[in-house]
Amino acid sequence: MSTPRIEVDLSKVRHNTQTVVKRLEKRGINVTGVTKASCGNPNVAEAMLCGGALGLADARLSNVQRLRTAGLTCPITLIRTPMLSQAEQVVQICDTSYNTEIVVIAALAAAAIRKNTVHDIILMVEMGDLREGILPENLATIAQYVMRLPGVALKGIGSNFACLSGIPPNASKMAALCDLATETEGVCGTFLKTVSGGGSASLPWALGRQSKGRINDLRLGEAILLGVDPVTGDQIGGLYTDAFTLVAEVIETDTEPVFPPANFGDPALVRLHLVPNSGHTTRLLLAIGYQDTDVSGLSMPSGHTFVDATSDHLVICTNRSPLPVGAELRFQMNYKALMQAMAAPDIDTRLLHDRSSMRSRDIQGTSKDLASV
Ligand SMILES: *Cc1c(COP(=O)(O)O)cnc(C)c1O
């Protein structure tokens, strides 16, 4: 089997999706499955749909293209505000996009008219995360602008929390977002179908006791893929944290004690954190490095500690009986490590528990059909 590789247990992705979908259903909130950390992997996307996600979202058009090329016809939303230069393709392959800039919305509208279609717009509102979004005081003006433009339809509003700021949403911020939805409807005279309350960082709020108000959508990536709360890093009860496992191969193992070279005073060598072998520890060299993943986001197997890494090597040490050259070691990844590893050209993906028999039905279904799967 080829290494390095990521083993994806699709039944765990399905289970995680199903679990959050069921919990949020009771609160009137739909789940949009965010595929970006899996680099738009169609099998992962399909597992999310199987688990009850009402559509998919990704930040990159290249990932959306992967999903479409694999035959997925479900609704797909672009959640990073589109590049002006990509307006044409956005309209071609995405049903909906999140937007903050009038000039981009105008380009999407023009492209949609040329294609004889209507592109749905969700306006992203800045509620304190300070990454992207329209300031609340400007929302009404931009919403009215969208309403007047042929080629686009105002589908809703949404916000983002805890991405740049690390601050999760609270009840008053969510209530403010709901009020904005109602105000926008008053000004525009239209019903906003979607009021999206953020990503995985909004789950604690969504599962809490307070009223959910108008919020009827969450865009979930990390919670589904890694089973953790992005703000605390804690496991979410009932979810698997090991749907994705990175497997790397040992290429060197030092069984003899290694002493630092005589010129250890050389600052370049000091940086290497050379760890001499003792009777208790062995250094292992693995064929994986920063070119493949964010090595600092790997959790070491028990009995193993991280020493250092370079572009192509990972150095760890162990107090266990040393593994031979050619042996494999397994690592869990955090979100950053996962998204880089899934995009790395030299890492293979091995799918476990693929439900290929359900493939055609789930992939082709509309979002309504999928809801009842
Ligand atoms: C990445 C992203 C999400 C999903 O975030 P998770 O923390 O992975 O759930 C949701 N919305 C936007 C705009 C994003 O960029």
Side-chain angles (χ1 to χ4, degrees):
M1 219 172 294
S2 90
T3 43
R5 67 177 181 275
I6 297 173
E7 293 185 354
V8 188
D9 189 332
L10 293 170
S11 67
K12 291 182 177 172
V13 176
R14 279 195 298 272
H15 166 92
N16 285 358
T17 312
Q18 223 159 36
T19 307
V20 288
V21 163
K22 273 193 201 138
R23 289 179 192 168
L24 291 172
E25 213 165 51
K26 296 183 200 126
R27 295 162 168 88
I29 298 175
N30 295 322
V31 171
T32 300
V34 177
T35 50
K36 69 187 183 205
S38 73
C39 203
N41 182 293
N43 301 89
V44 171
E46 193 193 334
M48 289 175 165
L49 293 172
C50 266
L54 280 196
L56 302 170
D58 204 289
R60 289 171 192 253
L61 214 48
S62 52
N63 289 344
V64 177
Q65 189 59 60
R66 274 186 88 188
L67 299 170
R68 292 298 189 213
T69 304
L72 278 96
T73 57
C74 68
I76 302 183
T77 301
L78 189 67
I79 47 175
R80 180 172 69 185
T81 195
M83 288 184 232
L84 193 54
S85 59
Q86 293 184 330
E88 209 73 38
Q89 297 115 284
V90 170
V91 168
Q92 183 78 36
I93 63 176
C94 303
D95 306 81
T96 307
S97 58
Y98 277 75
N99 284 272
T100 60
E101 292 284 346
I102 280 179
V103 59
V104 174
I105 298 169
L108 294 168
I113 290 169
R114 279 195 291 278
K115 290 186 168 44
N116 207 13
T117 179
V118 174
H119 183 74
D120 283 337
I121 301 289
I122 296 181
L123 294 175
M124 188 61 116
V125 190
E126 164 57 60
M127 301 293 291
D129 186 51
L130 305 181
R131 189 177 70 180
E132 79 266 58
I134 296 162
L135 294 175
E137 56 265 38
N138 300 333
L139 179 61
T141 311
I142 298 182
Q144 283 172 300
Y145 175 80
V146 176
M147 288 295 294
R148 284 196 302 267
L149 264 188
V152 288
L154 182 62
K155 186 182 178 191
I157 64 171
S159 196
N160 211 30
F161 299 93
C163 274
L164 268 195
S165 67
I167 301 166
N170 56 27
S172 74
K173 284 207 171 135
M174 288 299 193
L177 184 61
C178 296
D179 289 346
L180 279 173
T182 308
E183 281 166 31
T184 307
E185 287 176 344
V187 171
C188 295
T190 186
F191 171 69
L192 294 183
K193 190 164 165 251
T194 304
V195 184
S196 185
S200 300
S202 299
L203 262 181
W205 166 83
L207 299 174
R209 285 172 186 278
Q210 306 96 330
S211 151
K212 301 307 144 214
R214 297 279 315 263
I215 307 290
N216 60 7
D217 173 77
L218 287 187
R219 315 174 300 269
L220 301 181
E222 185 160 1
I224 290 174
L225 301 173
L226 294 179
V228 298
D229 176 329
V231 178
T232 61
D234 294 341
Q235 177 173 12
I236 300 168
L239 302 192
Y240 290 108
T241 56
D242 59 350
F244 293 80
T245 303
L246 180 65
V247 184
E249 185 172 328
V250 177
I251 52 171
E252 185 185 303
T253 166
D254 299 335
T255 46
E256 297 300 318
V258 175
F259 296 103
N263 57 345
F264 198 49
D266 182 340
L269 286 175
V270 173
R271 259 206 67 249
L272 293 175
H273 308 301
L274 286 176
V275 174
N277 283 329
S278 67
H280 305 294
T281 60
T282 308
R283 280 174 78 234
L284 298 174
L285 195 62
L286 287 103
I288 194 157
Y290 282 111
Q291 184 135 86
D292 306 290
T293 187
D294 178 11
V295 175
S296 62
L298 302 180
S299 48
M300 295 293 124
S302 67
H304 295 75
T305 23
F306 174 80
V307 177
D308 211 341
T310 62
S311 53
D312 314 290
H313 297 83
L314 170 62
V315 186
I316 63 181
C317 73
T318 177
N319 52 15
R320 303 264 165 107
S321 58
L323 290 165
V325 166
E328 293 182 344
L329 268 176
R330 305 168 71 79
F331 303 87
Q332 299 312 135
M333 294 169 278
N334 71 9
Y335 199 59
K336 215 167 145 198
L338 173 69
M339 75 169 72
Q340 289 186 23
M342 287 297 291
D346 293 331
I347 300 189
D348 262 6
T349 306
R350 182 169 173 244
L351 304 170
L352 309 174
H353 304 120
D354 194 0
R355 220 192 265 176
S356 48
S357 59
M358 294 186 67
R359 194 184 177 86
S360 55
R361 188 175 140 216
D362 287 332
I363 274 191
Q364 308 300 339
T366 66
S367 56
K368 277 210 176 66
D369 295 329
L370 287 163
S372 57
V373 166

